[in-house]
Amino acid sequence: MLQCIFLLSDSGEVMLEKQLTGHRVDRSICDWFWDHAISQGDAFKSQPVIASPTHYLFQVVREGITFLACTQVEMPPLMGIEFLCRVADVLSDYLGGLNEDVIKDNFVIVYELLDEMIDNGFPLTTEPNILREMIAPPNIVSKVLSVVTGNSSNVSDTLPGATGSCVPWRAADPKYANNEVYVDLVEEMDAVINRDGVLVKCEIYGEVQVNSHLSGLPDLTLSFANPSILDDVRFHPCVRFRPWESHQILSFVPPDGEFKLMSYRVKKLKSTPIYVKPQLTSDAGKCRVNVLVGIRNDPGKTIDSITVQFQLPPCILSADLTSNHGTVNILSNKICSWSINRIPKDKAPSLSGTLVLESELDRLHVFPTFRVGFRIMGVALSGLQIDKLDLRTVPNRLYKGFRALTRAGEFEVRS
Amino acid sequence: MFPQFGATAETLSKASTMVFRIGTDAHLYDDPDDVSIAPLLDSKFDSEKCEALKRLLAQIAQGFDVSNFFPQVVKNVASQSLEVKKLVYLYLLHYAEKRPNEALLSINCFQKDLGDPNPLVRAWALRTMAGIRLHVIAPLVLVAVGKCARDPSVYVRKCAANALPKLHDLRQEEHTSAVEEIVGILLNDHSPGVVGAAAAAFASVCPYNLSLIGRNYRKLCEILPDVEEWGQIVLIGILLRYVIARHGLVKESIMLSLHCTESSHSEKDGSDVDFRLLKVPIDMSGTCDSEFVNMVSKCYIESPDEYLSRSSYTNRVSFELNGTHFTSKTNDDVKILLYCTSPLLWSNNSAVVLSAAGVHWVMAPKEDIKRIVKPLLFILRSSNASKYVVLCNIQVFAKAMPSLFAPYYEDLFICSSDSYQIKGLKLEILSSIATDSSISSIFKEFQDYIRDPDRRFAADTIAAIGLCAQRLPNMAYSCVDGLLALTKEDFLTKDFGSGDQEAGVLIQAIMSIKSIIKQDPPSHEKVIIQLVSSLDSIKVPAARAMIIWMVGEYSSLGEIIPRMLTTVLKYLAWCFTSEALETKLQILNTASKVLLCATGEDLWTFKKVFSYLVELAECDLNYDVRDRARLLKKLPSCNLGSQGPEEGTNGLNEKNVLHVVAKCIFGRQTREVKAESNNYRFYLPGSLSQIVLHAAPGYEPLPKPCSLPLDDLNVPEGTHAVEKGPDYSGTDDHGTSSGPLDEESASDYDSQHSITGSSGSGRSDDNEFTSEENDNADPLIQISDVGNASENQNGVSQSSPANLGELMSNRALESWLEEQPGSSNPGISEQSQVCKSSARISIRDVGRQVKPKSYSLLDPANGNGLKVDYSFSSEISSISPLLVCIEVFFKNCSSETIMEITLVDEESTRALDSADQAAAVNESSMKSYDNVPTLVPMEEIPSLEPGQTTRRLLQVRFHHHLLPLKLALFCNGKKLPIKLRPDIGYFVKPLPMDVEAFTDEESHLPGMFEYTRSCTFTDHIGELNKESGDGLLIKDKFLAICESLALKMLSNANLCLVSVDMPIAANLDDASGLRLRFSCEILSSLIPCLITITVQGKCCDPLNLFIKVNCEETVFGLNLMNRIVNFLVEPALF
């Protein structure tokens, strides 16, 4: 089981240590870790499981903050990693983002959270809704209050009722004047278009996100019009397995507030909404770049937030790129980012320019991969449709809402 | 220009951040000690207390030690404010172990809080109380946990379950049974939340007590989907272990896939099936690599020790699955487990998915395994960290059963955001699941990867292409063609500055081509020719070297190559001087290979080229090249003809021999390349060990199939274990190879018996170690097994050198400790003897290093040039037990011969003529001890040449352990008086015994027969410093201490080293707990005397030793102890 958790800032400073068991872990392990991270660079930082001379380390990096957990004995590594991810999620949810300052500013809350989340190296309460009841998140009111009165307690006096109930994810009996439940389909499109312009892989990773504010203990059923297109699914613990197995119906008692009900995958889609056609021709130490972007399959809604990003290969000395629409930026780490936003009606956006190669090179032999971003409101590109959402006992006033959104996930175009 | 503006801007930005930070605890973190904390802690306002505690917490977070506030903080534990309580608890848990006495002050408060109506307060009190880890309060905690385990609040019960491992961690044997009982109660809880925590407690408190699971098995399966995700992970593993221990592997599963055809008839007679001969193509869901699967399943079940012992005796197959270990998929327990775990494959938690997938992998019938594929691949869409872990597991699955993943190759395509490790794993998996139908799209994809800006990744892709071609021989041609085309690309052949990574790509390409050609050289003749012709353009030395190697290797292949050899060789000779080292060496090799095989008219050309090359090489700057040239010049001299003047038949013979040698070295061997996977070791899916690829401490393989007997479930704990060991091996002990295995598993289950049963039997020391080992909390001692059992058995002291030195495995140690002394079954007792002796930690080569201390008897200055030294010998006198053997060395340091040297007892010379006396004594000594002579006369040394040394063995009877014996030395007719000083350390002789006997004997010698003293020991420091310092593993440090300590003891007293116990401390440098046991018996009275040395202190500092002597002869024991202390304190002479 986990013995200790460290939070490291992006400069390697140990911001926080939380010893979890009697077998204390010395801080020096962080020095070891950071020395290696510096000497070995990214390869080390992307290694989630590290065997140091004295401990096994699990590492999760979120927005520059390294969450490091140590153990000395065999345990499921994914358990450690998932837990750290959960801690990162909860913290960023509580603190409204993650960075060095915000963690230092709220270190007491971080300590209290960690203490509730893990006991003797084994996860205790990780359900965000329950945690919120035990430890109040910092907010403007409490801040002001603490300044004015000098007294701020964010520790709840009573145990959330849910810890005892059979639905441990749900806070006990909330009361709402307006009963609302909103269901969002948020989809991400993963696509790979190879150098020949062929669509190698195109699939949707989607999530059903629910925001529920319902009084009492509601029992919901959600069904899809076309569940057969789903390739694979993963569920929130609240979903009952059997109804899904037999009828592909989601039956659940929702947690209060926002949560991810399920995630799914739809594979083998036939086309993408937009096309990106990069062309690179190199000759005599120069390389001409030309990228065309346009709509291939009109989804019926506006496509916005279109971006195209690519990393210039290391052998390129300088780049001169212009576009007829949108803005082009070349960042310091040689990432070229072209933000188009919406495609205008009258012209096809294009990016063109020349790259200067290293002096010895005549022609370009390595080619960058273009990463595409876009967003389409109101459409689930997978075609998944929600059939109906039923409540077993309908309260007097109930609002139901459905939305859909598709954005680009790992959308890559090779050149 | 306007510095004041800059300043304003800066202050402004500072001010703005300040605004955002108002109301947070930022100021506390930034300057935690800007106010004095002590008065705040004593304040009567909760808010001030809070602030003080937050400041302390901030300092803890930043790594400062603020334990000096402990007493003041502890007082606040009684506060009514929950926030203060929480903060105090956080502080308390951080420091309690450091300040045990003050921590005790808080106990009353906890006990009060445990009765609080608010469950949150009860839970916190319990968690903190159990967390402060004080042995003194363990009984109180146990009571509290027991009470809370029946608490009405689920949360409190859950915390009670979590407290059990903390309690277990304190290693108090007397509580073990109580703790296990509570685990049983909590496992039976009706709330899923509690069951999850109880499962975690079970896994760390009593993982072997599977009968506890057996009672609730069905219920646990049914509750599984409702258990919290973290509990699910642990519970799935436990249930799997139980089913295997209870029913064995499933016949239809992939683990036993090799049987599927054979089992039908082998099952009935239960005879062992020889798997190695069976290569059954698997039907249904495609093919799987049967050998690989067999190995994987073997690895899952055998423990690391067994693995090591198996690899040391490669021919002995120790693992045979026979008919009795099967169950079928129709078994209810198996069915329900699979039924209840399959929906967990949809879990949101990737750890749950992986652990459910693991159950299916091991237990599910082959046709059902495919349901784990999609969920596993789905995890690839979650965080990068879990992606990596899942891929590591998929890699094994895919290798064992490529057909599972073959249709899903697209999921494993690489995207640019993947980290380098993930890319590598995906490539490896892709190359192992490629099929004839998918290979074309995989190759298309690979071609894109080769153009990736990350050249390391491109090189890996090329390696993967090579692997694919080897797997699918009909793709070999197109692969080679593609690779050849690649090598011709000008960016690779070009010799430019940043070519470091490009060179890697090129080398990898040639390497892949080489490995493909190796599969079937004749069909790739053209490729070799093309490569050779591109030699001119390829500049990278390693790549050139490989091509040149191919020329030599395949020089006689086909039609065209032999014809172009002359040109190639000439070319090579021409460019030799400008080549890099490795290429030069390869050119030399190739030239001699070609020469060896050459015949006909080319021979002459080759000879010329060869001798030219050798001449060049002999003048090379690099000595490697020069050496190689000299060697080669000699070797193929037969083919070279008359290099130098030959000498008749003799030379001819020599020539033939040389020719054979040369053929052996350069001739093409048809060596079988062993599948590299045989060196792999696999660990259970989802385990940490599988990721780090070594057995992490605490890693347990699956239990032995069917090792949990049926009737076990109904028998109350404690009694069943006694029966189990012998019972089990009695029925199953059929083959030579399976014997040790059975013993192993039997003793696992014995363990819990003796923990509960033997507390208070005077073996408490042992038990302490036992439980520590059981818990596996300490990983630092990595342990391996060696089979030097018997040596260890018979007396470790000087007589038997070269044993052990290895620390034995946890399991072995455990089984040894738990072994029952009075086992009736002769078979098992014999085996346990072996187990026992191999289980101890011991020190290699101590016997060899023991150098008894030498004392001077006579100075050359006093003795007319005769120097006499003596040392106590470990030999035992055969004449009388009262006599101590002494080795005496006579050395003539003068320039003249010394005649007639002899040593006699002074008194006896005075009285009698020595010769007569000797005879008389010899007779009388046989009869009684009373008139044993003080000195058995030594054989006279007739003469001693200058510089010569002679050794004599003296047998002396000392009258007192301190008073020296007066002797007379005669030489050259002169008499010299000398004094022989006794050493009580040699008034004893080694008494070989095992630890059981030792502790048994020890328990008979309590109280007045026991004396203790402490002293410091420093010898090891020099030892540690000598050994290169920092690079040392902790094991070596301990070993060095043990060694120097044992050496010191054995060099100064005639003892027998009984055992060395390693400390099981979490701390790296802490040698505390190291314990050495020595035994001996007093020469005169044959009364045993036991010495125990316990070490305390840091490895690198002077150690505190506690020496305990148990001896019936009190005066002797005391004197011996003082003597031991004396020589231990003495610094070592280096």
Side-chain angles (χ1 to χ4, degrees), chain B residues 855-870:
Chain B
Y855 306 90
S856 163
L857 197 59
L858 185 68
D859 224 30
N862 298 336
N864 298 337
L866 180 66
K867 181 176 171 214
V868 185
D869 287 334
Y870 72 97

Side-chain angles (χ1 to χ4, degrees), chain B residues 218-346:
Chain B
R218 232 146 227 293
K219 213 199 112 214
L220 288 173
C221 280
E222 277 155 13
I223 212 171
L224 182 61
D226 297 325
V227 171
E228 273 183 326
E229 44 196 335
W230 312 108
Q232 280 172 350
I233 303 167
V234 184
L235 190 53
I236 290 172
I238 295 172
L239 292 174
L240 174 65
R241 275 166 206 278
Y242 167 76
V243 170
I244 289 192
R246 176 78 177 72
H247 300 292
L249 297 169
V250 178
K251 198 167 56 195
E252 294 85 353
S253 73
I254 187 166
M255 294 294 114
L256 295 176
S257 58
L258 295 167
H259 290 262
C260 51
T261 55
E262 198 73 2
S263 54
S264 50
H265 42 91
S266 75
E267 204 177 15
K268 284 169 205 149
D269 48 15
S271 64
D272 293 354
V273 185
D274 193 354
F275 304 110
R276 286 158 297 167
L277 300 179
L278 285 178
K279 294 218 171 125
V280 188
I282 307 303
D283 36 346
M284 299 185 269
S285 46
T287 55
C288 59
D289 185 344
S290 45
E291 216 168 292
F292 189 88
V293 171
N294 189 18
M295 194 168 59
V296 169
S297 60
K298 204 185 275 185
C299 285
Y300 285 166
I301 293 191
E302 66 190 357
S303 65
D305 333 341
E306 287 156 16
Y307 171 74
L308 284 176
S309 64
R310 183 167 59 91
S311 56
S312 55
Y313 315 103
T314 39
N315 294 330
R316 230 185 71 187
V317 180
S318 62
F319 179 79
E320 299 279 339
L321 298 163
N322 56 38
T324 54
H325 289 162
F326 297 150
T327 180
S328 102
K329 62 179 170 182
T330 51
N331 182 304
D332 283 348
D333 281 357
V334 175
K335 258 188 354 202
I336 192 171
L337 179 63
L338 292 176
Y339 178 74
C340 292
T341 48
S342 57
L344 297 183
L345 291 169
W346 292 328

Side-chain angles (χ1 to χ4, degrees), chain A residues 352-367:
Chain A
S352 58
T354 48
L355 308 174
V356 180
L357 308 184
E358 271 176 0
S359 54
E360 301 94 339
L361 274 177
D362 200 31
R363 287 197 287 147
L364 198 63
H365 64 278
V366 292
F367 298 96

Side-chain angles (χ1 to χ4, degrees), chain A residues 139-194:
Chain A
N139 54 30
I140 293 294
V141 180
S142 76
K143 278 183 194 172
V144 172
L145 215 72
S146 79
V147 172
V148 177
T149 63
N151 185 6
S152 69
S153 172
N154 52 1
V155 180
S156 155
D157 287 354
T158 52
L159 191 65
T163 52
S165 74
C166 55
V167 278
W169 52 85
R170 185 171 174 84
D173 287 346
K175 292 272 187 292
Y176 293 102
N178 293 324
N179 287 295
E180 307 165 320
V181 53
Y182 299 108
V183 181
D184 293 353
L185 291 182
V186 179
E187 304 199 331
E188 286 185 6
M189 176 173 263
D190 295 354
V192 173
I193 293 149
N194 74 5

Side-chain angles (χ1 to χ4, degrees), chain B residues 605-661:
Chain B
T605 329
F606 292 157
K607 272 183 198 163
K608 273 186 81 177
V609 173
F610 181 77
S611 45
Y612 171 70
L613 277 172
V614 167
E615 240 170 82
L616 276 181
E618 274 183 318
C619 312
D620 200 87
L621 282 176
N622 188 288
Y623 63 86
D624 261 351
V625 178
R626 294 199 300 271
D627 285 356
R628 182 76 58 96
R630 260 173 238 136
L631 174 78
L632 292 177
K633 193 174 169 184
K634 281 276 181 300
L635 272 182
S637 51
C638 49
N639 258 2
L640 265 180
S642 52
Q643 263 275 314
E646 303 270 347
E647 292 158 36
T649 50
N650 209 3
L652 236 155
N653 263 346
E654 205 171 282
K655 250 163 62 178
N656 281 339
V657 172
L658 283 176
H659 190 70
V660 172
V661 170

